[in-house]
Amino acid sequence: MSPTRDPLGRPVVAVTGIGLATPLGFGVAESWAGLLAGRSGIRRITRFPTEHLKTAIAGQMDLPEEAGRGPFSSPERVERMAAMTTEEALTMAGLGGRTGFPGPLFLGMPPVEVEWPQRLDLARKIDREGALRYADLVSAAEGREELFEGFLFGGVAARLADRFGTRGAPISISTACATGASSIQLGVEAIQRGETEAALCIGAEGSVQPEALIRFSLLSALSTRNEDPARASRPFDKTRDGFVMSEGAATLVLESLESACARGARVLGLVLGCGERADSFHRTRSNPDGGAIIGAMRAAIEDAGLEPGQIDYVNAHGTGTPENDKMETLGMRAVFGDAPPPISSNKSMIGHSLSAAGAIEAVFSLLTIRDQRLPPTINHETPDPAIPLDVVPNVARDAKVQRVLSNSFGFGGQNVCLVLGAAP
Amino acid sequence: MTQPAAPEEVWITGVGLVSSLGEGAAPHLAALERPVPQPVLDEEGFAPFPIHPLPPLDLDRQIPRKGDQRQMEPWQRLGTYAAGLALDDAGARDRVSDMHLVVAAGGGERDVALDEQIAAELARMPPERAGHVLNARLAGGLRPTLFLAQLSNLLAGNISIVHGVTGSSRTFMGEEQSAAEAVRVAAARLREGRGGIALVGGAYAAGRWDMLLVYAASGGLWRGPWAPLAGRLPRGGMVTGSAGAFLVLETATHARARGARGLARIAAVASTAARRRGEDTAHAAAGRLATPLLSALRPGYAVLSGATGMPVPTAAESAFLAWLRDAGPAQGAVRFTADLIGHSVEASFPANLGLAALAIGAGRQPQALVTGFGMWRGEALALLEPVTEGAAA
């Protein structure tokens, strides 16, 4: 019988269900197979015209039910993908069903706003001479309850909570690129506090639309290698030129180990620790001393009751921006010294799924432990002498992996790291 | 984390409150004492919808660098400003590096003029051409800094940058309920020993067409001259108000150790989200939250109601308060804070907790129950009490 309390006396948190939707495929099996094969899910954007855009590639996810109609809005895409991965995770966990899910919902998702198709739809209804004013749009929107419920910030989570019968008030969280990891952290804390025996944690992203793409472009954050999409996302490579926006979702069913064992559930792995640290340096850059990144990595390892030397592999934040990869390298060397464990970036294949990334990467970390196989960093063609790390270049390989550190570092200085471990 | 032997008591040791009435304790305590509300209104700027506008802010006092001010729009500035007021009120500027931050956020300002211009041009265009032109207009017209000013989590980001709050940073989204959960989670973490001090709150800038668009779509915005909440029923209607509201929460141990005064003790904070259909009503959900509090309620407890004015939740709250009058001790005065400062969505629950803490801290109330029935979803309650011992430390 393995201990069901951690060294701090808190309930040990197990993962009993996972679900994935990534640009490599719908479902855990297809996504993971693509990742191990070193396949890229990045391609030319077909959802909308890309004239006048510096970046015309993304990890665009088309949903089957979108065929033959206009594209879904971001909240609708997020909701549908989150529902899909949650169905998969609940089936695996054998939880939910008619009585509903026995715990709260934590949803990592992007901020929501009325988008251009809706705005233009309102504008076309205005029958008035002279310059168009916002007041006219508002007047055309009055009483359109589907707009209200569709674009409320709490709307997606409320509908998912209703669908899966989760308990209490759902929490929607946004911590930029750390969002997916934050949703898991909230679930872990709720179980550790004894508020619940189970938590449903989701990260979902569906923001490949013109305005979001342009906004990131204006920050010079995106790769512009439009001619060769599969080779555009190049984390840790010397020729990296930015990240590639993508979409996707992941769901994790968390349970106290005690409760999972009591109901005879299959435990896929454990969430051993969570660490976070905010940066006060700049809106889009880390402090050059790496303090917050290092602090978050160390805090997660310490929260797991481990020493850095006990981490076997790091699932990188690894966005492929010149800045991130340099800072992450600094963090790796500071935390692990001269002999850091191997680190690879899933984003080389699936791009940066922003609000979903932390959750997707936590699932991939668990699969890495399950299969004892490290997914590669593809497009590693020109090593960067400033990055003295084993990035598992280009080809997956077998390794002995018991504990994984998964990094998530966000714009606005929000950094969250998770330590995932093998099932006892 | 180190686990305390027993759950820690959590105090409110700082209130940072800005509303149409002004900033800080004085104008808000005065408004609570006035029997007939004297709201500050703008009935023309966003007609037909009245709003409670932002007061003039001396931004330099809380956001000293002009560069920081330029990186934000009014919503983030308001929140960052109110967060600074809370830190000052708590005398906790020297504790920011280990302070945990939970922000309830909506979205930041859009470029309204650009939206109007693009919408006007594209509305008259065949859709297949509109997509191309949209790209050109956005790529040429959007300011790079505006993206960061729009991002929900960048209110927290700015609070970290301007005030140095770096213990942790979380942004909850989802209208009123996100703030109730923010306070609940922040308090629960302190209670179990995850840190000693936290900053929690939100902001809402009411004078924004882009936000009014979403709320107008509900059909529930009040139109025409302002009326107090009771006068808007039964049809109901919401009048939005600008507010920035942040609270410094602290364990009693942490506050005592640094000699900080507690304005009020959080005796309870709880929230849930009824589906609001069939038997799963907001009234019943709030009743379940209140049941464990019945024995703690003292005769004459004040109610600071966050009622929005939207018909369904406002009626549910009336029924809930009536039930509470029957089930619990004698109820004191019920104040609708929307009559004082308007409904401030994400800022509403922390603003109402702030008002309650100020009233209790000033010795004006023996106990206050704060309610938060969201316009669409979410039911929340908090019970605040005077800090009993060590208050003068």
Side-chain angles (χ1 to χ4, degrees):
Chain A
M1 183 70 196
S2 53
T4 54
R5 297 266 158 181
D6 73 8
L8 291 167
R10 308 172 299 192
V12 172
V13 178
V15 182
T16 55
I18 50 177
L20 274 182
T22 74
L24 292 171
F26 294 108
V28 168
E30 206 176 327
S31 287
W32 180 234
L35 204 77
L36 287 182
R39 205 149 55 76
S40 170
I42 307 305
R43 58 193 172 100
R44 294 285 298 195
I45 292 168
T46 55
R47 186 175 293 159
F48 49 86
T50 55
E51 281 82 1
H52 311 292
L53 303 183
K54 284 188 192 154
T55 291
I57 54 172
Q60 171 187 322
M61 304 257 317
D62 298 325
L63 299 177
E65 58 270 40
E66 236 171 339
R69 49 151 289 164
F72 291 131
S73 65
S74 161
E76 189 161 10
R77 187 178 307 283
V78 161
E79 184 177 331
R80 285 169 183 271
M81 287 197 299
M84 199 184 289
T85 56
T86 301
E87 295 279 3
E88 184 179 26
L90 290 176
T91 302
M92 189 180 297
L95 265 185
R98 268 180 309 166
T99 53
F101 185 82
L105 168 65
F106 300 100
L107 173 66
M109 62 175 278
V112 170
E113 61 181 351
V114 169
E115 295 171 7
W116 279 103
Q118 295 78 36
R119 207 172 286 119
L120 291 179
D121 180 48
L122 294 173
R124 290 191 184 103
K125 290 191 166 61
I126 297 166
D127 183 23
R128 194 177 68 80
E129 293 300 308
L132 178 147
R133 313 297 308 183
Y134 236 91
D136 303 321
L137 295 175
V138 173
S139 166
E142 253 196 299
R144 293 264 308 265
E145 283 189 40
E146 87 289 354
L147 262 188
F148 172 67
E149 295 189 4
F151 291 91
L152 276 176
F153 273 59
V156 174
R159 284 184 288 276
L160 289 171
D162 194 8
R163 175 172 180 157
F164 294 108
T166 57
R167 310 284 162 87
I171 291 183
S172 306
I173 182 150
S174 174
T175 50
C177 315
T179 300
S182 294
S183 79
I184 294 169
Q185 187 185 21
L186 285 166
V188 168
E189 288 184 1
I191 292 171
Q192 288 177 337
R193 258 200 305 275
E195 284 174 4
T196 179
E197 291 294 329
L200 197 53
C201 302
I202 309 176
E205 183 60 70
S207 296
V208 175
Q209 40 107 327
E211 188 170 317
L213 199 72
I214 289 167
R215 289 178 185 177
F216 276 115
S217 247
L218 289 170
L219 295 177
S220 307
L222 300 181
S223 169
T224 55
R225 289 175 186 260
N226 297 324
E227 300 321 309
D228 198 356
R231 293 173 66 208
S233 184
R234 312 172 72 78
F236 304 121
D237 189 85
K238 194 169 194 305
T239 64
R240 65 190 186 274
D241 73 329
F243 73 82
V244 177
M245 266 181 87
S246 79
E247 301 178 318
T251 300
L252 292 90
V253 174
L254 304 186
E255 282 183 82
S256 72
L257 182 61
E258 190 172 5
S259 145
C261 292
R263 69 179 188 92
R266 184 168 150 244
V267 173
L268 304 169
L270 305 177
V271 186
L272 297 172
C274 309
E276 64 195 320
R277 199 76 206 170
D279 200 331
S280 61
F281 181 69
H282 187 269
R283 286 162 190 81
T284 59
R285 294 201 314 271
S286 305
N287 188 318
D289 72 7
I293 286 175
I294 296 165
M297 290 167 76
R298 283 191 177 139
I301 295 169
E302 192 190 321
D303 190 52
L306 299 172
E307 297 293 326
Q310 293 173 279
I311 299 293
D312 303 309
Y313 161 75
V314 178
N315 188 305
H317 187 53
T319 56
T321 64
E323 169 81 7
N324 175 81
D325 298 359
K326 187 181 77 181
M327 293 310 300
E328 194 160 10
T329 304
L330 176 70
M332 286 291 288
R333 302 296 295 205
V335 172
F336 296 105
D338 291 338
I343 177 172
S344 66
S345 171
N346 306 160
K347 294 186 180 79
S348 61
M349 292 166 275
I350 62 168
H352 189 355
S353 55
L354 304 166
S355 303
I360 290 177
E361 287 159 14
V363 169
F364 282 144
S365 298
L366 291 164
L367 296 168
T368 300
I369 296 169
R370 183 193 71 183
D371 291 358
Q372 298 287 293
R373 195 159 170 79
L374 308 181
T377 304
I378 68 163
N379 298 320
H380 197 73
E381 294 170 335
T382 317
D384 183 343
I387 299 181
L389 297 171
D390 171 7
V391 300
V392 194
N394 302 315
V395 184
R397 67 168 190 248
D398 289 337
K400 193 173 165 343
V401 189
Q402 289 297 303
R403 285 168 291 265
V404 175
L405 177 70
S406 182
N407 287 339
S408 296
F409 307 136
F411 273 6
Q414 289 146 32
N415 306 297
V416 180
C417 298
L418 304 174
V419 177
L420 299 127
Chain B
M1 62 180 281
T2 49
Q3 284 206 312
E8 283 269 10
E9 195 166 279
V10 177
W11 293 355
I12 295 174
T13 57
V15 173
L17 187 54
V18 182
S19 76
S20 51
L21 298 175
E23 66 180 67
H28 294 105
L29 279 174
L32 282 172
E33 309 243 304
R34 219 173 277 133
V36 178
Q38 291 175 12
V40 177
L41 290 159
D42 173 0
E43 293 182 325
E44 280 86 46
F46 298 87
F49 312 114
I51 64 148
H52 301 258
L54 262 182
L57 299 177
D58 181 4
L59 289 176
D60 293 349
R61 280 181 45 222
Q62 289 297 342
I63 312 174
R65 286 197 307 233
K66 295 286 184 199
D68 285 333
Q69 292 180 20
R70 278 196 298 273
Q71 294 278 328
M72 301 182 231
E73 295 289 321
W75 167 67
Q76 288 179 357
R77 286 189 204 118
L78 173 60
T80 306
Y81 188 93
L85 291 182
L87 294 174
D88 286 339
D89 190 45
R93 290 271 176 195
D94 58 341
R95 305 298 165 126
V96 290
S97 63
D98 290 318
M99 189 179 286
H100 295 281
L101 174 62
V102 193
V103 173
E109 283 82 354
R110 293 187 59 81
D111 184 335
V112 163
L114 184 68
D115 279 357
E116 286 175 340
Q117 201 184 314
I118 295 176
E121 185 183 1
L122 269 57
R124 300 187 187 94
M125 224 174 249
E128 56 280 9
R129 201 169 118 66
H132 300 246
V133 179
L134 176 66
N135 291 350
R137 297 294 176 266
L138 288 175
L142 281 176
R143 279 175 292 134
T145 52
L146 195 68
F147 178 24
L148 297 173
Q150 280 185 291
L151 273 179
S152 301
N153 70 298
L154 257 293
L155 170 50
N158 279 298
I159 291 170
S160 292
I161 289 166
V162 172
H163 302 305
V165 177
T166 54
S168 65
S169 173
R170 298 173 182 186
T171 296
F172 290 3
M173 305 186 298
E175 289 73 38
E176 302 88 353
Q177 187 64 5
S178 63
E181 282 295 307
V183 173
R184 185 186 69 78
V185 169
R189 295 181 89 240
L190 292 176
R191 206 165 277 133
E192 64 173 334
R194 287 186 203 258
I197 188 165
L199 179 64
V200 58
Y204 183 75
R208 287 176 55 185
W209 282 115
D210 51 359
M211 289 310 301
L212 288 172
L213 188 139
V214 178
Y215 297 135
S218 74
L221 283 183
W222 180 252
R223 300 171 71 106
W226 181 85
L229 197 123
R232 294 178 221 152
L233 299 172
R235 188 168 68 85
M238 196 163 66
V239 178
T240 58
S242 298
F246 275 82
L247 309 169
V248 173
L249 307 188
E250 204 164 345
T251 63
T253 309
H254 192 276
R256 286 194 191 105
R258 69 180 188 95
R261 61 100 170 80
L263 284 165
R265 181 176 88 85
I266 301 182
V269 53
S271 91
T272 190
R275 313 290 187 235
R276 296 190 181 175
R277 63 163 189 260
E279 289 176 3
D280 192 4
T281 62
H283 168 196
R288 283 191 296 276
L289 296 181
T291 301
L293 306 183
L294 286 174
S295 59
L297 286 175
R298 297 174 197 163
Y301 68 93
V303 176
L304 277 180
S305 162
T308 59
M310 290 287 263
V312 170
T314 304
E317 182 171 346
S318 294
F320 162 72
L321 290 175
W323 168 82
L324 200 57
R325 275 192 292 277
D326 288 343
Q331 210 168 58
V334 176
R335 296 302 301 266
F336 296 115
T337 60
D339 284 347
L340 312 179
I341 61 174
H343 179 58
S344 56
V345 197
E346 290 87 5
S348 171
F349 195 70
N352 296 340
L353 280 175
L355 290 169
L358 291 174
I360 287 172
R364 315 274 170 90
Q365 295 294 347
Q367 199 182 36
L369 181 73
V370 176
T371 67
F373 283 60
M375 66 175 96
W376 185 63
R377 288 290 182 272
E379 296 79 28
L381 297 176
L383 185 64
L384 297 193
E385 295 178 342
V387 166
T388 42
E389 42 89 35

